[in-house]
Amino acid sequence: MNEFELIRRYFTQNSSNVVLGVGDDAAIVEPTPGNELLVSTDMLVEGRHFFADIDPVALGHKTLAVNLSDMAAMGAKPRWAFLSLALPKVDERWLTGFTYGFFELAKRYEVSLAGGDTTSGPLTLCVTILGESPLGSSLRRQGAQPGDDIWVSGVIGMAALAVRQQRNNTMAVPAEVLAVCKAKLDFPEPRIELGIALRRVASAVVDVSDGLVADLGHILDCSRVAAVIDVNAIPTHDWLATQRYQCLDTLVAGGDDYELCFTAPKQYREDIATLSRQLTCQLTHIGCIEEGLGLRLKGEGDEEIPIRRAGFDHFSH
Ligand code: ADP
Ligand code: MG
């Protein structure tokens, strides 16, 4: 199979969302009048972002999901994706699985694959995503104010626990716990509806990809504020909750959660509780924004816990 057959067979879909899709020198898309366009790109490299033995369906899902998560963090509705990939060889079984995972998720959020690039090389996947939101309504990392509450969606630390066990199997994690953690690692669910709903209430938002401490840190840096979070309030799997002090790094600095961390004025507590019920998405109040700089973790009896790791950084570890 040559490159063009491969593109036609695996990456070309009929789509009503594009004026011109895969097959020309460029795609043509028609932005919704009165909206701003948001653009983001994310790359996944074998050995860095996923293990070589990952299920291709999971990889297809995750490749798109991590990009959709960036749109969620901006309060945007994702619309068009571009997929650039380097493949070591043409493996039809792998391609079938990968595109299944990718397009199942794309369909659910009405995202069209509008183009991309295909080359041979070490397995690398790069998605560029375009999204929209009404002019001026997008959310940023900047905007948190002293006195705001800090919230997080879903549960944190489970994906990191799965990675940790896969790297060095040092803890006696029950098999059923590991299975749910692995599912969270392989099939992250981007919080698109939540991001859109947060336009009304959030002062700042970030998605948790590099660990809660590191990503909340971005909100603090961009907003020039400080924060305190309650370690006991951080929502996680029941089993990990019993180990939260022994596994603090996994919980707050592990990453791969793809949940949203956001700040909102106290006056919105009721609205956020309602939102949580409407979206059937757990939303947990974990701390608050203060004046100053830096992030403090508080444990039992207000004791302060030193933070050891600042999340995942590709160039410093
Ligand atoms: P060009 O040589 O003009 O850059 P390509 O041969 O790279 O064009 O791509 C041909 C068409 O296929 C383009 O519309 C491009 O966007 C699309 N395409 C290539 N690879 C992919 C892919 N992996 N997924 C989706 N579309 C792709
Ligand atoms: Mg090209």
Side-chain angles (χ1 to χ4, degrees):
M1 193 181 338
N2 70 27
E3 179 189 328
F4 301 103
E5 266 171 58
L6 188 151
I7 294 167
R8 192 175 46 74
R9 190 172 308 172
Y10 290 102
F11 296 103
T12 308
Q13 288 220 320
N14 288 328
S15 171
S16 52
N17 285 354
V18 293
V19 180
L20 186 62
V22 173
D24 214 306
D25 291 310
I28 305 178
V29 299
E30 192 177 351
T32 308
N35 277 41
E36 54 198 12
L37 205 52
L38 294 96
V39 188
S40 163
T41 192
D42 234 331
M43 183 156 74
L44 281 84
V45 177
E46 185 177 275
R48 284 275 101 168
H49 302 93
F50 56 90
F51 297 107
D53 66 350
I54 188 173
D55 166 20
V57 178
L59 188 58
H61 174 98
K62 190 160 181 170
T63 301
L64 183 59
V66 301
N67 284 273
L68 295 184
S69 180
D70 285 322
M71 288 290 121
M74 301 298 290
K77 176 169 169 43
R79 300 218 46 206
W80 303 287
F82 294 81
L83 171 66
S84 297
L85 72 170
L87 299 172
K89 59 181 188 302
V90 176
D91 175 344
E92 298 216 44
R93 213 188 53 91
W94 187 92
L95 279 161
T96 302
F98 178 85
T99 50
Y100 178 82
F102 187 98
F103 285 119
E104 277 303 302
L105 183 63
K107 251 186 276 168
R108 268 205 279 138
Y109 292 105
E110 299 172 306
V111 170
S112 302
L113 182 64
D117 204 15
T118 308
T119 76
S120 62
L123 187 58
T124 306
L125 306 136
C126 181
V127 168
T128 298
I129 187 107
L130 275 67
E132 295 183 314
S133 36
L135 273 174
S137 70
S138 299
L139 298 163
R140 305 171 186 211
R141 294 175 174 185
Q142 187 219 317
Q145 298 282 340
D148 284 356
D149 290 327
I150 302 169
W151 297 82
V152 70
S153 69
V155 284
I156 295 291
M158 292 168 66
L161 183 62
V163 171
R164 176 176 166 161
Q165 285 300 98
Q166 199 151 340
R167 287 233 170 88
N168 51 352
N169 198 350
T170 51
M171 288 173 64
V173 184
E176 66 275 14
V177 175
L178 201 55
V180 277
C181 290
K182 185 80 166 59
K184 188 91 171 95
L185 173 68
D186 286 348
F187 291 94
E189 195 52 52
R191 302 293 186 185
I192 300 297
E193 294 93 350
L194 175 62
I196 290 171
L198 288 179
R199 288 175 192 159
R200 288 189 301 111
V201 294
S203 48
V205 192
V206 71
D207 72 320
V208 184
S209 54
D210 295 330
L212 185 61
V213 163
D215 290 311
L216 175 57
H218 295 315
I219 289 187
L220 304 185
D221 291 344
C222 293
S223 304
R224 300 181 170 281
V225 289
V228 55
I229 57 179
D230 174 2
V231 170
N232 290 303
I234 298 171
T236 187
H237 187 282
D238 288 347
W239 185 86
L240 192 54
T242 64
Q243 320 273 322
R244 65 173 76 229
Y245 289 96
Q246 299 90 306
C247 296
L248 197 59
D249 284 356
T250 305
L251 184 64
V252 301
D256 264 313
D257 300 297
Y258 299 103
E259 295 293 349
L260 296 185
C261 175
F262 61 96
T263 61
K266 287 188 173 56
Q267 73 200 70
Y268 291 123
R269 281 182 185 173
E270 281 290 310
D271 300 74
I272 291 167
T274 306
L275 202 60
S276 170
R277 281 191 298 274
Q278 282 170 346
L279 300 175
T280 53
C281 173
Q282 186 179 339
L283 298 175
T284 311
H285 178 203
I286 58 164
C288 66
I289 297 290
E290 301 177 327
E291 277 182 42
L293 291 173
L295 173 60
R296 293 182 298 127
L297 290 187
K298 289 263 167 123
E300 307 288 352
D302 270 7
E303 150 220 10
E304 198 157 315
I305 299 162
I307 306 170
R308 272 169 296 177
R309 260 188 61 187
F312 189 82
D313 178 329
H314 284 276
F315 297 106
S316 58
H317 64 105

